[in-house]
Each structure stands twice: as C-alpha cells, then as structure tokens.
Amino acid sequence: MFDLTGRVAIVTGSSRGIGRAIAQAMAAQGASVVVNYASHEEAARQVVDAIRSAGGTAMAVQADVSKAEQAAALIDAAIGAYGRLDILVNNAGITRDTLILRMSEEDWDVVLNTNLKGAFHCMKAAIKPMMRQRYGRIISISSVSGLAGNAGQANYAAAKAGLIGLSKSVARELASRNITVNVIAPGLISTDLTAALPAELLAAGIQRTPLGRMGTPQEIAAAAVFLASEEAGFITGQVLVVDGGLAL
C-alpha cells in the first residue's frame, strides 16, 4: 500500500461504512486521522479505538459539516491536535430517497446541505492551511448516481453530481499550490445503507454489475489511500469510478 506516514487526514462521516474503512486504511498507512461524526458518537469512538489498537493515531471530533462554523471548527481541531492538515476526505452523506413527485423541499435541502454544501464548507476551511504549506489532497466521495442518475434519488444524484463539478473547479483553482482535488464514484457497496435496501433491488443492482458482486468499503478505501499518496501527485480533477463496471 502507499505510505502516508506524517500526514494528517480528516475523514468526514467516518463513524461507519465507507468513511470508517477510509479512516482505518489511512491510519494503517501511517496517517494521523480525525474521525468525524455528526451524531453517532459511540460508533466514532469505536473506530478510534480500533485504529489505536492497531497501533495507529486517531481522535474523534463531532461536527455537522452542513454548518459552516462546525466545519471550520473541525479543521481547527485537526490542526490544533496534529499541527497540520494534509488530507481531506469529504465522505459525509445522507439519503432521503423518494420519487420527485413525492419529494419535499426538506428532503431536497437536507441532502444537498449535507452531501454538497458540507463538502464546500470543509474545502473552504481546509484550503487556507493547505495553501500555506503548499501541499494537500482533497478527495470527495461521489457515486455512480452522480454520473448516471437514479430513479428515486434526484436529490442524492444532484448532490453527488455537484461534488464532481465542485471538485473539478477547485482542482483548477488550487493546482498551482500543489493541492490535488479528486473524486471517487463508488457503485453498489456493501454497507449499512445498502443492507437496508429491499433484497430484489440489491439483486437487480448486482445483476447490472459486470463483475457480478457488490464492492466492499475496503475497496473504496484503497482508492482513497492511493489518491492521498505521493504517487498520485500528478492526478487532479479526476473521477475514479470504483463500481465493478456498473456505469459502463
């Protein structure tokens, strides 16, 4: 794997699922990791305990990244504890799935505020320290839904597509400061969220995936570690699709 020794990483929404796997993978490669959570405190502390038990360095910080002041406080907490910030992973996300005819304005707003505006807040707060040190890796977790859309997920797909446009724009703005900005677009991944889906929907998704299976959070985490590494220093503004061929 790729060496992240001496790097400091924030992974938003990392108390479970893909975020948890990314936090643990980055810590395993030597990064000091800030495990961010909005409400699942005990789950976040379990992630920190698991990282520390494996010999890594981590702490948990509560912040609702949809709120600018809390996102800024999250960045400040990381720098206060570890002295710098090298890696920001925008993973925090929620769903409020329903057909657009039934979708309320609240359903729309809460998903866009967390999934897209949250990334904006975190990027904006993280950019200044990264610019000062002339180094940074920003990685946002989108979705194949953001590439192709998905019935019943107009709000989620819009937010995930927005992350791609946001990241490409910021990649252009920050490239001269040696800060890369990239996106990972997972397909059907085995998490608590997908476990709650009806069995027939899961089966249909697997059938549409050429590799014939769901992905794992660890496979997304491996992609994130690569994009955070020195070896990915010439990659910016890109969307890495990790979906078993679903979006082909």
Side-chain angles (χ1 to χ4, degrees), residues 144-233:
V144 292
S145 294
L147 298 172
N150 197 28
Q153 286 193 316
N155 49 2
Y156 182 79
K160 293 301 188 179
L163 275 177
I164 294 172
L166 170 64
S167 297
K168 286 179 176 286
S169 298
V170 177
R172 289 183 179 273
E173 294 181 16
L174 300 181
S176 66
R177 299 301 182 95
N178 195 33
I179 301 169
T180 66
V181 187
N182 292 290
V183 177
I184 298 172
L188 192 61
I189 307 299
S190 179
T191 65
D192 291 344
L193 288 177
T194 53
L197 294 173
E200 61 272 17
L201 283 180
L202 282 178
I206 292 170
Q207 186 175 20
R208 292 197 307 272
T209 301
L211 284 181
R213 66 173 177 86
M214 298 174 71
T216 68
Q218 289 72 29
E219 287 171 316
I220 306 303
V225 168
F226 165 64
L227 289 175
S229 72
E230 293 291 336
E231 287 80 356

